[in-house]
Every structure is written in structure tokens, then in C-alpha cells.
Amino acid sequence: MSLMMSWALLRNRKPTRKCSSCGLRYAADLDDCPHCSSLSLTQLHQLKQRLEHDRNRSLRMGRELLTGAAVLAGLFILWLLYT
């Protein structure tokens, strides 16, 4: 996607708001959160747990990728110094 297309998409986005129950964002023109308004308390708790699990997994993967990049950069620097 080109930079101009990305800019156009960002400019034309509808305003959103954050749900106070589940924490997810939804269109501001809606009255209720489409993610959790029809869920029971048990289902809402399960949704929050799944979102937290996914967030933690993403953070862990980000740390692993950053560590891998640092190791590769270190190896590359060593290679440059000794060749």
C-alpha cells in the first residue's frame, strides 16, 4: 500500500471510543460496544482473559524478536571487526 493510500485511509477513519467494560475500541456512533454488550459476566471475564493472554503473547514475541535482532547485530559487528 502506498503512503498516499495509507494517509487517505487514516484521514477518513471514523472516530472511536474505548469500552469501559472490555477495553476494546469501537465506532463512536454506536450506542453499545459490539464486542461485549451482549455477553454475560462469565463471557466478559473470558473475553478479558483472552485479550490479556493475547497481549502478553504479543509482548513476549516482540521481546524475542528484539533479542534476536540484537544478537544478529552483535554477530555482524564481530564479523566486520574480524574480517
Side-chain angles (χ1 to χ4, degrees), residues 71-83:
V71 167
L72 287 175
L75 290 172
F76 181 69
I77 290 171
L78 289 173
W79 179 75
L80 286 176
L81 291 174
Y82 294 107
T83 58

Side-chain angles (χ1 to χ4, degrees), residues 32-66:
D32 295 323
C33 174
H35 307 289
C36 70
S37 62
S38 64
L39 300 179
S40 68
L41 288 177
T42 303
Q43 291 170 323
L44 179 61
H45 181 68
Q46 290 171 346
L47 174 64
K48 286 182 179 182
Q49 283 182 326
R50 191 177 78 238
L51 291 172
E52 184 66 23
H53 177 265
D54 291 347
R55 180 181 172 278
N56 289 336
R57 191 174 59 188
S58 294
L59 288 173
R60 187 171 45 251
M61 183 171 41
R63 283 192 299 268
E64 290 170 357
L65 289 172
L66 186 59

